[in-house]
Amino acid sequence: MAAALRCVAVVVAVAAAAMGVEALGVNWGTMATRRLPPNVMGQLLKDNGFKKVKIFDADENTMMGLAGTGIETMIAVPNDMLAAVGDYGRAQEWVKKNVTKYDFDGGVNIKFVAIGNEPFLTAYNGTYNNVTVPALKNIQRALNEAGHGSVIKATVPVNADVYDSPASNPVPSAGKFRDDIVGIITDMVKFLNHSGAPFSVNIYPFLSLYGNDDFPIDYAFFDGAPPKPVIDNGINYTNVFDANFDTLVSALKKIGFGDLPVVIGEVGWPTDGDKHATVPYAQRFYAGLLKRLAARQGTPLRPHARIEVYLFGLMDEDAKSVDPGNFERHWGIFTFDGRPKFPLDLRGNGRPAMPAPARGVHYLPRRWCVLNPNASNTTALADNVGYACSRADCTVLGYGCSCGSLDATGNASYAFNVYYQAQGQVPSACDFQGLAMVTDKDVSQPPCNFSVQVAESNATAVTMTADAKSSAPSSVPARVAAAVLALGFVLPPSPPASRDRFARVGRDRSPAGAFSCHSPERASAILRGELQCRFTSLFSFTSSCDTQEKIRASLEMDTNTDGETEEDAPRFTPYTLRRQQLSGLVYF
């Protein structure tokens, strides 16, 4: 009898795990200088058992990579089209072109249409507030009239900044939608409830750590024991994810829809670009998340709930904006060429294993572009490094990152090589005014990898705006700022303005170019490793540093084109929001 009961328990556990895995999807972004072919990507999803995928448009190449896979797909109407599909005729055209077109045997298994991407961000200053819900209603109506509405639902992926708890009572049960959009959200939620669509939200515990060294690190994960858990009506919240999710549940309850299904549209952990963006931390985060999903653990306010989750993301994307932070290009569970980064329990069987790599990947020839040891024109080095890094991805050179320990020669070689690879190894991309040379010797310095890029028939390499031989845009300040980016130095964060135990991080984006840049002499000093500042985003710096007083004393106060000094100009900060706004409830 005991043996029989154990057998039944095992069967139940396996069945629960299978149901958890069925709810697992992944985001497939395509903002890369050189992409793997869509058919390779589609096979990668299948080989790793993903049943669901979310993309950020309805690009024909991407869609054909998904055709015939049977993978449930969430396609998207981009933000810049929301106003257009507010016209019902345009909405019908969009559905015909991007949904009906793929409705055939062996086509794309579309399940959701995302209406915009985080359109209610405070950083958008209301740009999409009045067009999002009309677009939602029109697209769903068009889906219904085209015969798709019973199986394809329109929803709106929102950032977690649409809800919060008051400063006077910063706990999940006090959650409410933002005052400026509560009416819009209520209208949207009523429609979602009527159409049978879920509420979709993006949650990022990593962002609680980013820019806040006082944050108790265990609170970002699922297996830790933070020193002061948040206690709310007898519930101990020991991780950011549960607290954030239940704040949303409370907000939904306050407008009368506390049982509306919720989909996590994005959740993940980056592996480079910041001292907390590491493979061990990512592995720890995913291990806890996937274990909970397999067990259908739910959250305190929704125990044992089946929560549909889309991991963020599938691949690293080296062409994404680094305005939010250098980590933005390193969210993938796979590298740019489809190699898995760490073991994952994607099958829900309690046995993490390395995911299956991409098959059929073709590479450029095994050669690299490096600093020529015999080069004599070293006075142009900072300019050329800046040029390379303004057109390719140097984010791994930052403080605490995988290539952060390289010397000046290594920094320059990395910058030259990453540009050379992005340009498809064309000979002119490895000159840099005679400073560079091509070698067939792998110059990687583990853990820093000097990659050889993938070959593709329809490369999307960044277009050169000037010949690499002349190598320099006319704006020296822009090149110098990029040289700082090349070395990845980022000033540490200022203390948060709020010290609430439960507070929302985020500050509206300042205009790009608000600062002038440091002089070429300062860029050269950085190349020599004499200034250990950490870089946040092009032309913009935070207001403190590990050696703040010493460094500020050594930097002249430049003046920008508006006559402001760097001290007076508006700033991007580590609290600049992801995609213009970082989101999520944060434990201090």
Side-chain angles (χ1 to χ4, degrees):
M1 177 65 71
L5 289 175
R6 284 196 297 271
C7 182
V8 170
V10 169
V11 170
V12 171
V14 170
M19 286 189 290
V21 171
E22 286 297 317
L24 185 64
V26 67
N27 285 266
W28 173 10
T30 57
M31 297 181 67
T33 54
R34 303 180 69 82
R35 306 172 190 166
L36 293 179
N39 64 311
V40 171
M41 296 296 294
Q43 189 62 50
L44 177 66
L45 292 167
K46 290 182 63 177
D47 288 347
N48 287 284
F50 284 109
K51 307 297 183 183
K52 305 172 187 291
V53 69
K54 177 170 168 275
I55 59 177
F56 295 90
D57 48 32
D59 177 75
E60 184 174 11
N61 288 331
T62 304
M63 296 292 277
M64 293 313 296
L66 293 169
T69 64
I71 297 171
E72 293 182 358
T73 302
M74 183 187 298
I75 62 175
V77 179
N79 286 350
D80 59 8
M81 291 190 64
L82 296 180
V85 296
D87 174 84
Y88 184 60
R90 295 288 298 276
Q92 288 178 302
E93 292 174 9
W94 192 93
V95 168
K96 180 179 179 180
K97 178 181 178 182
N98 298 292
V99 178
T100 305
K101 177 180 178 179
Y102 301 102
D103 183 22
F104 59 88
D105 187 20
V108 181
N109 182 17
I110 301 172
K111 184 179 181 181
F112 294 113
V113 177
I115 306 302
N117 187 45
E118 303 180 339
F120 302 123
L121 283 174
T122 55
Y124 289 147
N125 295 317
T127 299
Y128 306 109
N129 286 5
N130 296 325
V131 297
T132 299
V133 175
L136 169 70
K137 294 178 177 179
N138 277 350
I139 290 294
Q140 188 64 61
R141 177 185 169 192
L143 288 168
N144 294 345
E145 292 188 358
H148 308 303
S150 62
V151 293
I152 302 176
K153 304 298 181 181
T155 186
V156 180
V158 300
N159 189 289
D161 82 328
V162 301
Y163 53 87
D164 57 19
S165 297
S168 60
N169 189 25
V171 293
S173 63
K176 62 181 181 59
F177 289 108
R178 252 176 29 221
D179 291 340
D180 62 309
I181 58 169
V182 64
I184 296 172
I185 292 289
T186 301
D187 186 22
M188 181 186 83
V189 168
K190 286 180 180 178
F191 184 80
L192 295 176
N193 184 65
H194 176 75
S195 67
F199 190 100
S200 179
V201 64
N202 302 337
I203 297 176
Y204 284 98
F206 163 79
L207 299 177
S208 300
L209 283 177
Y210 180 66
N212 182 11
D213 288 334
D214 294 329
F215 186 89
I217 191 167
D218 285 341
Y219 200 69
F221 301 95
F222 300 96
D223 60 353
K228 295 181 180 179
V230 174
I231 301 175
D232 182 15
N233 293 330
I235 299 173
N236 284 2
Y237 283 94
T238 60
N239 67 81
V240 172
F241 182 90
D242 283 356
N244 194 308
F245 188 95
D246 281 359
T247 302
L248 169 60
V249 172
S250 297
L252 288 169
K253 185 176 181 179
K254 282 182 174 61
I255 61 172
F257 295 91
D259 295 325
L260 186 72
V262 174
V263 167
I264 305 300
E266 298 178 17
V267 63
W269 198 282
T271 58
D272 215 333
D274 182 73
K275 65 181 180 180
H276 291 124
T278 67
V279 167
Y281 279 157
Q283 185 174 351
R284 178 184 176 187
F285 177 79
Y286 279 116
L289 176 66
L290 295 174
K291 181 179 179 180
R292 290 163 61 94
L293 293 178
R296 291 190 64 169
Q297 184 171 336
T299 67
L301 294 188
R302 288 195 177 177
H304 312 299
R306 177 187 182 275
I307 302 175
E308 190 165 322
V309 170
Y310 292 83
L311 307 182
F312 191 87
L314 184 61
M315 307 279 286
D316 285 347
E317 299 173 78
D318 67 348
K320 294 185 72 175
S321 169
V322 296
D323 282 351
N326 291 343
F327 58 84
E328 192 67 13
R329 294 176 176 175
H330 306 281
W331 288 98
I333 58 176
F334 292 88
T335 59
F336 72 95
D337 54 350
R339 290 175 292 114
K341 296 180 180 179
F342 49 85
L344 288 166
D345 184 14
L346 297 175
R347 309 287 178 175
N349 57 16
R351 296 190 298 272
M354 289 298 285
R359 293 188 279 163
V361 178
H362 299 286
Y363 292 88
L364 296 171
R366 286 183 56 81
R367 52 178 176 247
W368 295 261
C369 180
V370 298
L371 179 65
N372 188 337
N374 299 317
S376 58
N377 185 24
T378 56
T379 57
L381 184 58
D383 282 352
N384 281 276
V385 168
Y387 178 83
C389 286
S390 67
R391 289 157 174 78
D393 178 28
C394 296
T395 55
V396 299
L397 296 174
Y399 170 79
C401 302
S402 61
C403 298
S405 61
L406 297 179
D407 59 15
T409 298
N411 284 328
S413 291
Y414 187 95
F416 292 165
N417 183 66
V418 74
Y419 174 83
Y420 176 64
Q421 302 295 338
Q423 299 299 322
Q425 296 186 357
V426 295
S428 61
C430 187
D431 185 286
F432 295 100
Q433 296 179 306
L435 290 169
M437 58 174 278
V438 175
T439 179
D440 58 5
K441 178 183 178 182
D442 187 348
V443 292
S444 297
Q445 301 178 38
C448 181
N449 182 38
F450 283 56
S451 298
V452 172
Q453 262 288 359
V454 297
E456 58 176 356
S457 56
N458 296 309
T460 54
V462 177
T463 303
M464 295 172 62
T465 57
D467 190 283
K469 192 169 185 176
S470 60
S471 173
S474 59
S475 171
V476 172
R479 291 160 55 203
V480 174
V484 180
L485 172 60
L487 299 177
F489 297 127
V490 186
L491 292 168
S494 304
S498 168
R499 301 305 300 176
D500 293 336
R501 294 179 65 228
F502 237 6
R504 182 166 305 284
V505 295
R507 201 171 287 168
D508 288 347
R509 180 182 175 183
S510 302
F515 291 103
S516 60
C517 304
H518 295 304
S519 65
E521 291 77 13
R522 296 305 170 194
S524 297
I526 292 172
L527 273 171
R528 295 193 301 269
E530 294 174 0
L531 298 179
Q532 299 297 314
C533 289
R534 297 172 60 202
F535 182 80
T536 45
S537 59
L538 206 58
F539 304 112
S540 50
F541 298 82
T542 55
S543 60
S544 61
C545 192
D546 288 327
T547 53
Q548 178 177 356
E549 297 302 323
K550 176 181 178 182
I551 291 174
R552 284 213 178 274
S554 70
L555 296 176
E556 295 86 11
M557 294 297 297
D558 295 333
T559 301
N560 67 11
T561 54
D562 297 323
E564 296 175 301
T565 67
E566 289 191 26
E567 288 292 340
D568 297 329
R571 306 187 186 286
F572 288 106
T573 78
Y575 305 104
T576 300
L577 302 182
R578 183 174 185 277
R579 291 197 187 88
Q580 298 183 333
Q581 185 144 14
L582 303 183
S583 68
L585 293 172
V586 189
Y587 176 94
F588 290 112

